[in-house]
Amino acid sequence: MPDLLSLFPPGSELAEDGGLVVGGCRADELAAEFGTPVLVVAEAALRARAREYVDELTARWANSRVVFASKAFPCTAVQRLVVEEGLGLDVAGGGEIVTALKAGVDPAKVVLHGNAKSDEEVGLAVEHGIGLVAVDNADDVDRLEAAVPAGRRQPVLVRVIPGVTADTHSHVLTGHEGSKFGLAPAAAAELITRIEASPRLDMRGLHVHVGSQILDVEPFAEAVAAVAALGEFPTYDLGGGLGARYTWADQAPPVPDYLDALIGAARAHLPAAAELIIEPGRSMVAAAATTVYRVTTVKRGAHTFVAVDGGMGDNLEVALYGQRFEAGIVGRFDEPDQERVIVVGRHCESGDVLVDGVPLARPTVGDLLAVPATGAYCYTMGNNYNGNRRIPVVFARDGNARLVVRRETYADLMSRDVP
Ligand SMILES: Cc1ncc(COP(=O)(O)O)c(C=O)c1O
């Protein structure tokens, strides 16, 4: 049987009785204390990953920085953790600006993205001194010119479509020709000329982002070559996009391999004095967390459906991108007697499938089921479908568990009602 444990956060282990231990905490004890479903983050693993990114990047290109793509796990505690490890934050919109500031980030280390920034969001960015605004279109320039007070200049990057089509789900592809994000090179060049003439804007450089869950390093290098053709600038933000390992079959490139390719291309195509920025999201957080569910129903027939107390309310990755996950019954990962099942959620959609076909050991009502690699975009897309109360986030470290986001209450579900 494949090694399921290897998909759980680094440092996870099986206790003598077979129980799953994440961040030194037993999954069954976490479930008892915080209820299920619960999203458990292995804090030390996440910190180590953040440090790995910073160390490996600066070892290859001294004038560089890592900004965490907040959208991958936009809770204040995660943003604070990466800030403590010396990273900046990439934010996509007003809400992420607000949580980033609450997390204590230096606004100068924040990069604002978005293909449809509102007046309010641009205003917030300018008001708080956000370090870089990635201009996606000419309307961004209009808004910035209106928001920046006389005598100040807002540093900006221009987002360029590199025309690179990576091998990933079309919904998370962003650097291909015809993308809704950024500008094709000719249009980008025109906007750069306008920005360079603007008294309110400081044209700092270019931004490129190929897409997400990319398991091959070549597209990242191709994108660098594509933006280099637009000329020399002080800063190049090369985006995020490195894939994470979700399944036994996935071969996710290690960070050093990814950076060898990316920085190799930078050495070949970009000015040696330039500042380089990268924006990892998924590959920073995916492997650091696991979701623990309770099995509520086992239905045997043509298929065996194992239903749990969560689903697309806490993990939309499956329905949205067809992302494959694995799963195991807590306490019985290593049992030889496995039955192939479909793990489904509690929501009123046939598409609410967590894992379509996975071996589980004697699944029984009341068991705990753990799904690894749920650190990226699961918290992000948590929702209230079917009155779902969004699930708590717990940091586990050295055997201590700390609640960083509480479970929503039924009262929360009505908290926005206007009487
Ligand atoms: C501009 C930008 N930067 C970085 C990221 C992070 O990508 P990933 O989570 O795949 O690393 C995204 C997400 O798609 C993005 O849109």
Side-chain angles (χ1 to χ4, degrees), residues 71-419:
K71 70 194 74 172
F73 202 152
C75 86
T76 316
V78 169
Q79 289 178 316
R80 183 175 298 123
L81 181 155
V82 297
V83 167
E84 284 167 2
E85 295 301 336
L87 283 74
L89 294 173
D90 138 359
V91 295
E96 289 181 5
I97 294 179
V98 169
T99 54
L101 293 174
K102 184 163 180 228
V105 72
D106 173 358
K109 289 187 172 178
V110 175
V111 185
L112 172 67
H113 293 285
N115 69 309
K117 301 177 195 74
S118 65
D119 291 348
E120 184 192 22
E121 289 167 332
V122 168
L124 259 181
V126 170
E127 177 192 339
H128 290 285
I130 296 306
L132 286 168
V133 174
V135 165
D136 178 275
N137 50 62
D139 301 314
D140 277 355
V141 175
D142 294 342
R143 288 193 169 91
L144 282 163
E145 286 185 326
V148 177
R152 255 187 69 188
R153 281 174 167 239
Q154 171 65 45
V156 299
L157 305 173
V158 170
R159 181 162 180 166
V160 181
I161 300 175
V164 171
T165 305
D167 182 13
T168 187
H169 195 286
S170 62
H171 292 181
V172 289
L173 205 54
T174 55
H176 57 293
E177 273 174 34
S179 172
K180 77 164 185 173
F181 299 100
L183 294 167
E190 240 177 71
L191 197 61
I192 289 167
T193 306
R194 177 177 163 197
I195 293 170
E196 283 173 339
S198 169
R200 304 283 161 99
L201 301 179
D202 173 13
M203 177 62 211
R204 298 296 302 168
L206 304 179
H207 172 264
V208 67
H209 176 66
V210 177
S212 196
Q213 188 53 12
I214 297 167
L215 293 168
D216 168 18
V217 298
E218 200 43 45
F220 299 112
E222 283 173 34
V224 173
V227 289
L230 275 160
E232 298 205 348
F233 297 92
T235 301
Y236 295 84
D237 181 336
L238 304 177
L242 180 64
R245 182 168 175 249
Y246 288 89
T247 75
W248 298 315
D250 283 342
Q251 310 264 348
V255 167
D257 293 7
Y258 157 66
L259 291 177
D260 280 347
L262 191 74
I263 302 305
R267 283 200 198 97
H269 301 288
L270 300 181
E275 177 193 43
L276 295 190
I277 300 174
I278 60 168
E279 304 172 330
R282 188 183 298 277
S283 61
M284 181 77 75
V285 287
T290 179
T291 308
V292 181
Y293 301 92
R294 181 81 61 187
V295 173
T296 51
T297 300
V298 179
K299 200 191 295 182
R300 291 191 169 82
H303 304 283
T304 298
F305 289 106
V306 173
V308 296
D309 55 358
M312 64 195 302
D314 58 78
N315 185 345
L316 255 190
E317 290 270 286
V318 187
L320 219 50
Y321 315 135
Q323 180 58 57
R324 160 97 195 163
F325 286 81
E326 307 292 352
I329 296 291
V330 173
R332 297 202 286 277
F333 282 9
D334 280 345
E335 281 197 13
D337 181 17
Q338 307 263 340
E339 175 183 5
R340 197 161 181 83
V341 310
I342 303 172
V343 179
V344 296
R346 57 174 287 273
H347 297 275
C348 301
E349 296 279 338
S350 293
D352 181 26
V353 172
L354 278 172
V355 195
D356 189 359
V358 65
L360 293 184
R362 295 183 288 110
T364 308
V365 172
D367 282 344
L368 293 175
L369 178 128
V371 175
T374 53
Y377 297 98
C378 290
Y379 170 88
T380 314
M381 294 189 252
N383 61 75
N384 297 123
Y385 188 20
N386 296 136
N388 179 49
R389 290 168 296 163
R390 282 175 293 179
I391 72 174
V393 181
V394 171
F395 277 14
R397 182 179 189 175
D398 298 334
N400 298 310
R402 139 174 106 89
L403 186 66
V404 298
V405 180
R406 65 165 173 81
R407 188 182 308 282
E408 273 187 324
T409 62
Y410 288 129
D412 287 331
L413 296 183
M414 292 169 280
S415 63
R416 294 189 304 138
D417 291 355
V418 179

